[in-house]
Amino acid sequence: MKLTYHGQSCFVIESGEHRLVIDPFLSGNPNAVAKPEDIKVQWVVLTHGHADHVLDAETIARNNNATIIAANELAVYYASKGLNVHPMGIGGKRDFPFGRVKVTLAFHGSGVETENGLVYVGPPVGFLLTLEGKTIYHAGDTGLFGDMKILGELNTIDLALLPIGDNFTMGPDDALIAAEWLKAKKVIPMHYNTFPLIAQDGAKFVADCKARGIDALELKIGETFEL
C-alpha cells in the first residue's frame, strides 16, 4: 500500500486496484506539485467542508466518476450537485471494496463557501481507514481531545496523520501528546507550511517524536511512503 502526500491534509492512498484521495486541495495550494486532473481515484474522502480540504473534491469526483465519502450533511451537499456520495456519521463504520472506514470525532468547524455565503455542512470528522490489514488514522482538522486515548486503546493504528499547523488546529506540542495517546506505529505531520499562519518545522516535530520513542516521518510534497 502506498501513501502519497500532496500538501496540507491531502493524501492519495493506493491499494491494489483501489485509489482514494483524502481532502483534495491542489489548485489553491501554492506548494502543490500535482493538479486536480492528475488525480485518478475511485473514492474521495472528505473530513470537513473548508476550502483547503475540499477545493478540488467536485472536480476530481466528476473527472473520475468517483464516490465521495463524508459526514452526512457534506455528502448531501455534494449529492445536490449530482455527484455520487456515501454519507456517514461519527462512530459509524462501513466496509467498502477497498477496506473499512470508521468515522471519528474531530474538534473544528465545517462550512462550504458558496455564492450565498457560508453553508454549514455538518460536523468535522476524522477517519480510521483499514486497508490490507493496516489502519491509517487521518485526524482531519482538530485540536487535541481526550478520546484520542480511547482510539489508541481500541485500535492498532499503523499510521497516524496529524495536523501540526497550530492556530486553526493543534500545534506541534499538542500533536506530540496526541501521538503518544494514539500509540501509532508511525506518525506523519500534515496541515502546516501551506500559509504563513500555519508555518511549522516538520523536521523538529519528527525529532521530538523520536525523542519520546515515537517513530515519525516528514513527507515532502509529492513524496510517497510505502506501508
Side-chain angles (χ1 to χ4, degrees):
M1 180 165 51
K2 295 180 180 178
L3 183 97
T4 302
Y5 185 46
H6 288 285
Q8 196 65 337
S9 300
C10 179
F11 294 85
V12 169
I13 299 174
E14 303 173 55
S15 173
E17 63 184 13
H18 304 292
R19 303 287 186 276
L20 304 77
V21 64
I22 306 172
D23 285 1
F25 176 61
L26 303 168
S27 58
N29 185 346
N31 303 319
V33 296
K35 298 177 181 178
E37 52 267 31
D38 298 329
I39 305 300
K40 308 298 181 186
V41 294
Q42 300 104 331
W43 308 90
V44 179
V45 181
L46 304 177
T47 63
H48 64 293
H50 291 162
D52 59 323
H53 296 260
V54 304
L55 186 64
D56 300 308
E58 183 175 349
T59 297
I60 291 171
R62 288 194 191 283
N63 287 350
N64 294 276
N65 194 30
T67 297
I68 292 175
I69 300 172
N72 180 68
E73 294 84 350
L74 185 55
V76 168
Y77 170 81
Y78 282 111
S80 73
K81 293 175 171 289
L83 297 172
N84 303 319
V85 303
H86 184 97
M88 297 191 73
I90 292 169
K93 62 180 180 294
R94 182 78 178 182
D95 289 330
F96 292 89
F98 58 83
R100 173 167 289 191
V101 175
K102 184 168 185 178
V103 187
T104 72
L105 287 169
F107 285 85
H108 194 58
S110 184
V112 172
E113 297 170 24
T114 71
E115 296 176 350
N116 300 315
L118 195 66
V119 175
Y120 173 70
V121 285
V125 300
F127 290 100
L128 288 163
L129 307 167
T130 303
L131 306 87
E132 300 182 23
K134 303 285 187 181
T135 297
I136 299 171
Y137 172 53
H138 189 297
D141 275 12
T142 188
L144 181 68
F145 59 95
D147 281 6
M148 286 181 173
K149 289 183 180 179
I150 297 175
L151 291 179
E153 291 170 1
L154 297 182
N155 302 276
T156 299
I157 299 172
D158 295 281
L159 176 64
L161 309 173
L162 301 179
I164 67 165
D166 221 337
N167 195 77
F168 298 108
T169 68
M170 58 185 171
D173 292 347
D174 282 352
L176 188 58
I177 296 171
E180 291 184 315
W181 288 353
L182 292 163
K183 303 175 185 176
K185 295 178 182 177
K186 187 177 287 289
V187 174
I188 293 177
M190 64 177 183
H191 203 276
Y192 67 106
N193 288 351
T194 309
F195 310 109
L197 265 179
I198 56 172
Q200 296 294 339
D201 187 340
K204 183 180 184 304
F205 172 74
V206 166
D208 290 343
C209 282
K210 290 182 176 180
R212 297 198 185 188
I214 302 166
D215 191 14
L217 171 70
E218 182 185 23
L219 270 187
K220 302 297 184 184
I221 294 175
E223 286 186 341
T224 298
F225 170 70
E226 227 172 278
L227 185 62

